[in-house]
Amino acid sequence: MTLPAGTTLGGIAAAQRPARQRAGSPTDGWWPWLFVLPTLLGVLVFYIWPLFQTGYLSFTETGPFGGETWVGTENYAKMLGDKNVGLALVNTVVYTVIVLLGIPVAILLASMVNRPGLRFATFYRVLFFMPYIAMPTAVALVWRMIYNGDFGILNWFLSIFGIDGPYWTSTPGFAIVAVGIVGMWSSLGFSMIILSAGLKNIPPDFYEAAQLDGASRWKQFTSITVPLLTPSIFFVTIISVINGFQLFDLLYAIMGSRNPAMQQSQSLVYIFYNQAFIHNNRGYAAAIAMLILLVIGIVTWFQFRMQKRWVNYV
């Protein structure tokens, strides 16, 4: 085949590429939708539909024999005047803040475990990750023994220094802090895995250049590691806050429903469970669920807005 003067094979290919793309796009047809259809159905059935259903139930009252009666904003007015909801919100925030305090600890531990040449580094990662995959009930049983006011190892340790430890899980004020410490300990493994992946993305050239300039290890940690790790820290913070506002299983397993301090230590999700499944007041429980969704949405939106000021994307 003879090409016209000034025409090359590359030029012909470049001229034909958009034509093939335009010709190929209609043939995509419904195939891409077929592949994503199972995921879309799952999202619609298990996330979107329950969200709208809960929103509808929050404006209704459940009868003693089932069925719903439209009551407008009565459940929301009742919720705003419920002191237990306000106290549960405070307890949930306190628990979430305690869990967030574990992130700096996770950063230090991840940096230590990822030091070049450290022996048994994989073993240490598995060791720290095990509490995250352990059943909350099993974790709670162990910590209940540690927190036991009469025979617990924690009060025994404090007694060595002459300190009379309280009944950690049955004293208002101490109980939510005790549960928060367990939550922080349980989440360390997950945070460490995410932060370890972020540490591996930091170019080693930065550390070599810092060493040539005489920077100490602490200076390298504060000037290189932490700033370049901020995307991973931001992700861990988002997940920790969302999990913190969903506190229920750990609180229920450690304290139990008959604990005298539960009334002052309950979380928002615990009140939702109590109203929905114990008192069969699904309308009021749905209003509390919408409050939880609203609080998590506002906090997450605020975190995304503020990330521009402290997250460094290389």
Side-chain angles (χ1 to χ4, degrees):
M1 183 178 64
T2 303
L3 297 177
T7 303
T8 62
L9 291 174
I12 294 175
Q16 291 179 344
R17 192 176 301 120
R20 283 201 301 268
Q21 290 176 352
R22 287 194 299 270
S25 56
T27 61
D28 292 341
W30 46 270
W31 278 103
W33 293 102
L34 181 63
F35 289 122
V36 300
L37 185 60
T39 302
L40 288 178
L41 285 176
V43 171
L44 287 173
V45 173
F46 296 109
Y47 291 93
I48 304 300
W49 170 245
L51 176 63
F52 283 102
Q53 189 179 32
T54 303
Y56 168 74
L57 287 176
S58 67
F59 295 100
T60 65
E61 182 181 13
T62 305
F65 300 102
E68 291 87 23
T69 305
W70 183 266
V71 294
T73 58
E74 185 178 313
N75 288 325
Y76 289 96
K78 178 183 176 183
M79 184 178 64
L80 292 176
D82 192 343
K83 294 181 180 178
N84 288 328
V85 174
L87 182 59
L89 179 60
V90 173
N91 289 332
T92 306
V93 171
V94 169
Y95 172 83
T96 304
V97 170
I98 294 175
V99 172
L100 288 176
L101 292 177
I103 295 179
V105 179
I107 295 173
L108 287 173
L109 291 175
S111 301
M112 294 171 63
V113 170
N114 284 276
R115 283 184 304 168
L118 179 67
R119 299 181 64 185
F120 309 115
T122 304
F123 171 75
Y124 295 137
R125 292 192 190 99
V126 173
L127 197 65
F128 279 107
F129 194 67
M130 284 181 66
Y132 185 75
I133 60 177
M135 290 180 61
T137 306
V139 171
L141 287 176
V142 174
W143 278 93
R144 284 179 68 167
M145 290 189 287
I146 294 174
Y147 282 141
N148 188 289
D150 295 321
F151 312 105
I153 190 173
L154 179 57
N155 279 358
W156 170 80
F157 178 75
L158 293 176
S159 67
I160 296 176
F161 303 97
I163 301 174
D164 189 14
Y167 288 89
W168 294 95
T169 59
S170 58
T171 304
F174 285 100
I176 191 64
V177 175
V179 175
I181 291 173
V182 179
M184 181 179 68
W185 173 79
S186 302
S187 62
L188 276 179
F190 172 78
S191 301
M192 278 187 61
I193 294 299
I194 300 298
L195 295 171
S196 296
L199 285 172
K200 292 185 182 301
N201 290 328
I202 300 177
D205 300 345
F206 292 177
Y207 294 103
E208 295 173 2
Q211 289 175 356
L212 291 175
D213 291 339
S216 63
R217 287 188 176 274
W218 178 250
K219 188 66 177 178
Q220 294 175 34
F221 177 75
T222 56
S223 300
I224 299 176
T225 303
V226 174
L228 296 183
L229 202 57
T230 48
S232 300
I233 297 173
F234 174 65
F235 176 76
V236 170
T237 304
I238 293 287
I239 299 299
S240 298
V241 169
I242 292 175
N243 289 337
F245 275 97
Q246 295 176 348
L247 169 66
F248 173 73
D249 50 357
L250 205 56
L251 178 71
Y252 189 84
I254 290 180
M255 298 187 65
S257 59
R258 297 181 179 179
N259 192 306
M262 179 57 86
Q263 186 70 21
Q264 292 79 25
S265 308
Q266 57 189 344
S267 65
L268 285 174
V269 179
Y270 184 85
I271 292 184
F272 162 78
Y273 161 80
N274 217 21
Q275 292 292 331
F277 300 104
I278 304 299
H279 300 294
N280 195 32
N281 193 356
R282 291 186 295 177
Y284 188 54
I288 295 173
M290 296 307 293
L291 172 66
I292 297 171
L293 176 66
L294 179 65
V295 171
I296 292 177
I298 292 175
V299 173
T300 305
W301 173 82
F302 182 74
Q303 288 178 295
F304 272 93
R305 291 284 297 179
M306 297 301 293
Q307 59 136 348
K308 298 177 182 176
R309 299 188 178 184
W310 65 278
V311 178
N312 301 302
Y313 293 101
V314 178

